[in-house]
Amino acid sequence: MLRDETTNSATDRSLQAFDALFERYQCEQIETAILQNADPFLETAGEDLRRRMFTTVGGAGEELCLRPDFTIPVCLHHLQSRTDLPRRYGYLGPVFRQREEGLHEFLQAGVEHLGRTETPYLADADLMAIAVDAALMPDAQAVLTLKLGDPSLFHQLLVSLEVPTGLRNRLIRAFGRGLDETSLKKILSPIEAEDMPLPAELRKLLHDPEALEQAVADMMLAQGLSLHAGRNAHDITERYLEIYGPQDIGLTETDKARLMKILVDYLRLNGPALEMPARLTDFERRHDITFGANLEQFADRLSEFSAKADTSIPTDFTFASDFARPLDYYTGFVFELFVNGASRPVAAGGRYDRLMEILGSEDPVPAVGFSLWLDRMPNWGAKNG
Amino acid sequence: MADLTLAIPSKGRLKEQSEAVLKNAGFSITALGTSRSYFGRLDGFSDGRSADISFLSAGEIARETMRGAIHLGVTGEDLVRETLRNVDDKIALLKPLGFGHADVVVAVPESWIDVNTMEDLDDVAAGYRRNYGRRLRVATKYWMLTQSYFASHGLGVYRIVESLGATEGAPAAGTADIVVDITSTGSTLVANHLKILADGVVLKSQANLIGSRTVAWTSAGLELATDIVQRIGGDPKVLASAVTL
């Protein structure tokens, strides 16, 4: 385990506790470099992350950064090691983030579980149980709050409601950023005619998609744009017709009203997690929709977790229907753990099945993980300032 | 350090217009040493004193004012906002001067007929990796402005390609997909077949008299600065609230 200056400032007790935790759950402890290539972080999390990273430039002009989190370095480490799967990695060390106030450097520990292909809910439940166990290490009597979300239920709801693809993608992205009634209304409001500028010579081609596509391709060539290097005439035309085209977004006003009503109702589904399978089933019946296999998985994950965590299951274990993460590589359930009513979570995690492929894996690799902030753990936190 | 150092652009239209504003307000500028000197003197204050003048590039003026090396400066708001996030903690905009107008805008190829708003751009950016194997690339020299404007529209998945000249040519050159660039009339964008998004104006910029919140102010310096602000039609209260003696 890495023991540099920051790590040394953590108490020996916390280091030993994590050593023991990783051993108990058969996690392979790994070290990753503090100075990382910035590219994988920016490619996956986007430019928005740059504002929170410390970046510098290497001698060959490559952009480097101080490790802003562990998930991506752990995944890259695995890809480079070419070892077999499944595999569970454990880590502990400093990460660096630009913050308005407070320290820029703080300790994180966590577990990333890669490549467990059978029944994903088993890996999900295992991981949540490890996180609960870890959060209770400094003080077994601490009061834990566990908040659970599952964006895959929302996605399935949209599929079941037969929402057209373009609108569906908009709703899913808005959901990741935090969807509420106001933003929902804005997305579902009709596009005004004056918001649809189109060069006059193309206007007459609106009802002939092929001719429109050809005209767009001609335009691109005339403007010196490559027809292949990025967006092509087909994609542009298709999206134009989908978003701005004469058929609007393929929904009547009645359809939209129903969609609005059901989604608002869904966003109000909050409460004790263990009651949720029944409430979601009731929701299906009331609105004549189906969450399909995603609801079964949700219920299985809960009962598996209850069985594993029988003694340590937090009394305040809630589900929030609007809980999601804005990163597009998160694909399934997400959770956050709070200790003694704190406002910021001590740990957060979820399923990110899409990340390994983005980072260069040839095959999809199912993955779940969580990170834990040591400075937010009561009894331990104060000592690593 | 002099009681008051005022920095004005060292060349071009911005220099001429800055000097004109001061002359119209009854001040006179004397370059010290040769005509290409970087230092000068500002005379014509009500009490007969004078202030130091520094001739710097517009970008340096923003940085030096932020650093607290000069008291007042004349430079574009775009450069001020690009220098530092939360720049309002370090610099006060004292008076827009009515010249050097330029907008920082988000512009996409005209052939992207389906992209007319930031919302459209967000939509397209989200599908980039899946469809084309990479993130949407944005050519700009305005990193800071781009990041905060895009973030305010919930747009995070894109890559900035730094461009220090001829940004508007980046899409045709194949180095970027769209641009965030400065434009005063829009004609350069049109010539490069780029269109500004309906809600794509990041900043409507013009030259401003700016004041440093980080420099050491003396009461004598504040008196001189107040004289300048008042005589060019600014509000001395804005200056007073920005300055700690």
Side-chain angles (χ1 to χ4, degrees):
Chain A
M1 169 147 315
L2 188 73
R3 291 178 202 271
D4 66 5
E5 236 172 86
T6 319
T7 323
N8 283 334
S9 67
T11 62
D12 282 344
R13 197 180 141 215
S14 62
L15 293 176
Q16 281 163 11
F18 274 102
D19 282 344
L21 181 89
F22 293 150
E23 200 178 321
R24 188 154 70 252
Y25 290 103
Q26 289 128 41
C27 304
E28 187 179 325
Q29 286 189 43
I30 57 166
E31 290 176 25
T32 65
I34 284 178
L35 195 59
Q36 295 271 331
N37 183 345
D39 215 48
F41 294 94
L42 295 171
E43 275 301 297
T44 50
E47 202 67 42
D48 208 24
L49 181 64
R50 192 195 293 273
R51 309 196 308 156
R52 300 195 297 275
M53 294 197 316
F54 288 94
T55 56
T56 184
V57 179
E62 75 278 25
E63 201 175 357
L64 303 171
C65 68
L66 296 180
R67 178 174 65 202
D69 80 19
F70 271 97
T71 305
I72 286 167
V74 167
C75 289
L76 288 172
H77 168 93
H78 176 80
L79 283 173
Q80 280 150 14
S81 70
R82 298 172 183 278
T83 47
D84 52 338
L85 288 170
R87 201 165 280 265
R88 207 185 258 162
Y89 291 105
Y91 60 82
L92 190 157
V95 296
F96 305 83
R97 298 272 181 99
Q98 306 246 15
R99 297 204 281 196
E100 298 277 315
E101 46 197 58
L103 290 175
H104 294 300
E105 170 178 357
F106 43 104
L107 282 174
Q108 260 190 0
V111 172
E112 311 292 347
H113 191 168
L114 307 180
R116 182 158 172 187
T117 45
E118 23 85 50
T119 46
Y121 69 83
L122 290 177
D124 297 350
D126 275 352
L127 189 89
M128 275 202 287
I130 301 174
V132 166
D133 205 351
L136 286 174
M137 287 194 306
D139 175 10
Q141 304 307 314
V143 179
L144 277 194
T145 307
L146 176 51
K147 183 177 154 194
L148 183 68
D150 191 344
S152 79
L153 292 171
F154 182 75
H155 300 179
Q156 191 55 44
L157 175 61
L158 298 180
V159 171
S160 177
L161 288 165
E162 294 175 357
V163 178
T165 324
L167 178 59
R168 192 159 80 213
N169 289 338
R170 273 186 185 203
L171 286 168
I172 288 174
R173 279 202 320 284
F175 184 76
R177 298 199 287 261
L179 189 61
D180 57 20
E181 214 168 319
T182 321
S183 48
L184 197 54
K185 247 189 208 126
K186 195 168 156 250
I187 295 170
L188 289 178
S189 60
I191 293 157
E192 303 294 335
E194 59 264 31
D195 294 338
M196 287 184 243
L198 191 64
E201 68 273 21
L202 297 187
R203 215 171 275 271
K204 54 183 186 289
L205 302 175
L206 262 181
H207 296 276
D208 184 350
E210 272 177 42
L212 185 62
E213 183 177 327
Q214 188 55 51
V216 169
D218 293 345
M219 226 169 136
M220 291 176 73
L221 284 176
Q223 296 168 5
L225 297 179
S226 160
L227 293 180
H228 310 290
R231 305 195 72 210
N232 56 49
H234 179 76
D235 297 348
I236 292 170
T237 312
E238 193 176 67
R239 187 173 173 279
Y240 182 85
L241 292 172
E242 189 185 296
I243 305 286
Y244 291 100
Q247 74 273 41
D248 191 17
I249 49 175
L251 287 179
T252 64
E253 287 308 308
T254 330
D255 287 342
K256 277 190 201 167
R258 173 169 179 255
L259 182 60
M260 181 82 191
K261 184 168 163 283
I262 295 178
L263 294 184
V264 167
D265 199 22
Y266 180 74
L267 293 174
R268 288 187 187 136
L269 274 180
N270 301 307
L274 297 173
E275 292 173 9
M276 276 303 151
R279 287 180 63 188
L280 287 164
T281 308
D282 179 58
F283 185 92
E284 285 183 319
R285 212 169 22 237
R286 258 186 302 135
H287 293 298
D288 190 25
I289 58 103
T290 171
F291 293 111
N294 293 3
L295 178 52
E296 284 159 43
Q297 290 239 355
F298 179 80
D300 288 343
R301 185 188 302 128
L302 280 184
S303 48
E304 184 69 21
F305 173 66
S306 308
K308 269 190 201 318
D310 53 349
T311 50
S312 58
I313 190 163
T315 41
D316 189 4
F317 179 22
T318 57
F319 171 82
S321 58
D322 62 352
F323 177 27
R325 280 186 210 297
L327 295 169
D328 60 2
Y329 56 81
Y330 275 96
T331 49
F333 92 110
V334 287
F335 72 94
E336 282 177 346
L337 265 173
F338 301 81
V339 179
N340 296 338
S343 59
R344 294 181 309 173
V346 68
R351 177 162 286 277
Y352 53 92
D353 288 352
R354 220 174 277 145
L355 182 60
M356 289 289 278
E357 268 182 301
I358 296 181
L359 292 175
S361 167
E362 280 171 25
D363 306 306
V365 177
V368 285
F370 74 86
S371 297
L372 187 145
W373 290 265
L374 268 72
D375 60 349
R376 297 185 192 169
M377 295 180 90
N379 302 337
W380 289 355
K383 285 171 194 152
N384 71 71
Chain B
M1 192 170 191
D3 281 328
L4 185 75
T5 305
L6 165 70
I8 62 175
S10 55
K11 56 181 188 221
R13 291 275 294 153
L14 282 178
K15 178 184 191 196
E16 289 163 25
Q17 287 169 308
S18 304
E19 292 181 344
V21 165
L22 290 166
K23 278 175 189 157
N24 290 340
F27 293 101
S28 64
I29 295 163
T30 317
L32 299 178
T34 68
S35 62
R36 312 190 74 183
S37 160
Y38 295 103
F39 301 101
R41 200 177 67 231
L42 186 68
D43 290 301
F45 287 94
S46 315
D47 59 6
R49 283 183 292 164
S50 57
D52 284 3
I53 295 245
S54 258
F55 297 99
L56 299 172
S57 80
E60 278 175 311
I61 292 175
R63 276 196 303 280
E64 296 300 296
T65 311
M66 179 196 83
R67 235 165 43 81
I70 51 183
H71 299 87
L72 297 177
V74 174
T75 191
E77 184 177 354
D78 59 323
L79 298 172
V80 172
R81 303 241 166 258
E82 184 56 24
T83 304
L84 186 76
R85 209 175 303 137
N86 303 331
V87 74
D88 295 320
D89 298 344
K90 309 238 160 134
I91 289 180
L93 296 175
L94 299 173
K95 167 81 172 122
L97 297 175
F99 62 87
H101 287 281
D103 294 347
V104 179
V105 299
V106 185
V108 306
E110 271 168 16
S111 54
W112 289 19
I113 56 171
D114 61 327
V115 180
N116 297 303
T117 63
M118 287 299 288
E119 170 98 46
D120 282 331
L121 189 62
D122 182 25
D123 210 12
V124 164
Y128 240 81
R129 163 167 286 290
R130 191 175 58 249
N131 296 330
Y132 315 112
R134 59 176 174 80
R135 294 294 191 197
L136 173 82
R137 291 171 309 183
V138 183
T140 190
K141 66 168 178 171
Y142 296 102
W143 288 69
M144 201 86 81
L145 286 169
T146 303
Q147 286 173 354
S148 41
Y149 192 70
F150 279 28
S152 73
H153 281 85
L155 210 163
V157 287
Y158 61 97
R159 291 297 300 273
I160 287 179
V161 181
E162 189 163 23
S163 159
L164 295 174
T167 304
E168 66 283 349
T175 53
D177 304 295
I178 69 166
V179 305
V180 173
D181 202 9
I182 197 144
T183 174
S184 41
T185 60
S187 56
T188 315
L189 293 177
V190 172
N192 283 279
H193 307 289
L194 298 170
K195 62 174 178 183
I196 301 170
L197 298 182
D199 50 355
V201 179
V202 176
L203 179 71
K204 289 183 101 62
S205 176
Q206 59 170 301
N208 267 259
L209 179 70
I210 62 173
S212 174
R213 294 178 189 274
T214 55
V215 75
W217 283 88
T218 61
S219 51
L222 179 57
E223 277 166 32
L224 295 174
T226 307
D227 202 7
I228 297 178
V229 169
Q230 253 162 350
R231 280 156 66 179
I232 62 170
D235 182 354
K237 285 198 217 87
V238 179
L239 173 67
S241 66
V243 166
T244 32
L245 288 173

